[in-house]
Amino acid sequence: MASKTKVKLTFVEYAKEDLQRLEPEELAGLLRERVHHNIEVPLYPILVRGKAQPIEGFGLQAQLVFDVWRERGLPEDTPDIEWVKRYLDIAAKIRAGETVLLDEPLPTPFTDEEMATVHKLIYGRRSIRDWLDKDVPDEMIDQILEAGRAAPIGCNLGHLRFIVVKDAEEKSWIWSDISTKNAAVIIVIAHDTRVACAVGQDKLVPQNPGYDAAAAADHMLLMAHALGLGAVWLSELKQTAKTSDTGEKFKDRYGLPDYYEIDLHIAVGWTAIGSIKSARPPLSDMVIRRPPVKTKEGK
């Protein structure tokens, strides 16, 4: 039955022969997206209701994409594909009417000690723009990259790409409104535009890749702070009447394919001087609407 199913999205439709022609990166993005929308999103309301009646066709679009993935001999032992296979197994049980029991942990409140660390991380982080002339160990860079990899990403597309720049000349290729020549490393965050196009997000939610890059950058900045490093998030310029696209210039210098789009970059290094942390407006100025706050008396 799965072999006869078409993959239908809002702006894209694929038959099996179409899937065979997709680039592996496109197919992987589509596979993760179909597992997300075709299985993950509708699954949990089903489990909450506790019904075990067979649901015909549940997850078959995702299964079709995976069947093609397997037929093409593409890797099945990566974390994302292991995640895919777990959901496909659950979907098969739902189609058969079997009861599915998940033993996944529910959120629990942090201890006071854990919460103190959270507060130190979130409220202590600040943007650093002056660094010592000192290398950052590769192990620390790996931890920062892993933090970006763990960030939330729309529909689990997996389309973000990271470029690590250490060479002084190469760092000068990246535009910034502050000097980053003393930063030990610059991490450029980009995304593979082919993936969003493969699932139709370029037409439906074209803003999503920028959000994904921003989430990854925030995770990276927090990890850099936790490691005792200083970092800052920097934008690239877009093409306007008065500016050129500095991301495109960087891609040209590095010889990167056209399908990569540069989103932003972060500069990381050892802090040269402590800085005054910027302050935000009062929360009352930022919240424009919320239900009345209840008092202890419930009023």
Side-chain angles (χ1 to χ4, degrees):
M1 185 174 182
S3 62
K4 298 179 181 179
T5 304
K6 285 188 176 183
V7 177
K8 297 182 180 180
L9 301 97
T10 305
F11 290 99
V12 191
E13 180 175 301
Y14 295 102
K16 187 173 181 180
E17 53 270 24
D18 300 319
L19 300 174
Q20 295 282 4
R21 292 190 288 267
L22 289 178
E23 293 293 329
E25 294 83 359
E26 296 172 304
L27 189 63
L30 179 62
L31 177 56
R32 291 186 291 262
E33 185 277 337
R34 281 294 80 194
V35 169
H36 169 67
H37 278 125
N38 193 222
I39 302 175
E40 183 179 32
V41 171
L43 173 65
Y44 294 97
I46 294 171
L47 298 184
V48 169
R49 291 195 299 269
K51 296 182 179 180
Q53 289 85 0
I55 300 178
E56 185 179 359
F58 186 80
L60 285 184
Q61 288 195 18
Q63 184 66 56
L64 171 61
V65 182
F66 179 72
D67 289 344
V68 172
W69 181 270
R70 173 168 282 175
E71 288 173 11
R72 292 176 60 173
L74 296 169
E76 296 186 27
D77 57 353
T78 57
D80 57 330
I81 303 303
E82 293 290 351
W83 172 84
V84 162
K85 291 191 291 186
R86 185 178 182 190
Y87 268 111
L88 290 174
D89 180 63
I90 292 172
K93 292 178 180 178
I94 295 292
R95 290 195 299 274
E98 298 180 27
T99 299
V100 175
L101 298 175
L102 294 182
D103 190 25
E104 295 298 312
L106 296 176
T108 57
F110 283 19
T111 65
D112 290 343
E113 183 178 0
E114 290 170 334
M115 191 58 74
T117 300
V118 172
H119 278 253
K120 183 178 180 181
L121 182 64
I122 293 178
Y123 301 119
R125 192 213 65 81
R126 66 201 63 204
S127 295
I128 298 300
R129 301 174 181 85
D130 299 277
W131 300 273
L132 298 174
D133 185 13
K134 179 182 176 182
D135 290 339
V136 172
D138 285 335
E139 311 88 74
M140 286 187 171
I141 296 173
D142 287 343
Q143 290 184 71
I144 293 170
L145 294 172
E146 285 288 357
R149 173 176 170 264
I153 185 168
C155 304
N156 199 22
L157 288 189
H159 55 168
L160 294 185
R161 301 292 182 264
F162 306 140
I163 304 158
V164 179
V165 182
K166 290 184 177 182
D167 181 79
E169 181 184 358
E170 292 179 357
K171 284 188 286 187
S172 71
W173 298 348
I174 303 170
W175 178 88
S176 174
D177 58 350
I178 66 169
S179 174
T180 57
K181 64 180 181 181
N182 290 330
V185 62
I186 294 179
I187 300 173
V188 179
I189 303 176
H191 71 274
D192 187 333
T193 60
R194 296 175 299 174
V195 178
C197 291
V199 302
Q201 284 198 2
D202 58 319
K203 298 180 178 64
L204 186 64
V205 282
Q207 71 278 8
N208 272 20
Y211 295 160
D212 296 336
D218 189 57
H219 271 48
M220 289 181 175
L221 291 173
L222 291 172
M223 179 57 76
H225 178 61
L227 293 170
L229 299 167
V232 64
W233 171 357
L234 302 164
S235 300
E236 54 124 346
L237 292 180
K238 294 295 185 181
Q239 184 72 45
T240 70
K242 295 187 177 181
T243 61
S244 59
D245 190 326
T246 56
E248 286 299 315
K249 287 186 175 181
F250 175 79
K251 282 166 52 179
D252 289 342
R253 297 292 294 271
Y254 254 101
L256 298 175
D258 289 339
Y259 52 75
Y260 286 145
E261 181 171 336
I262 307 300
D263 295 299
L264 54 93
H265 53 284
I266 62 172
V268 183
W270 297 99
T271 304
I273 184 172
S275 62
I276 299 172
K277 180 175 172 57
S278 58
R280 307 292 185 259
L283 185 60
S284 58
D285 290 353
M286 299 178 72
V287 178
I288 59 174
R289 188 178 186 278
R290 66 182 291 179
V293 178
K294 291 184 179 180
T295 64
K296 290 184 178 179
E297 292 75 24
K299 297 179 181 179

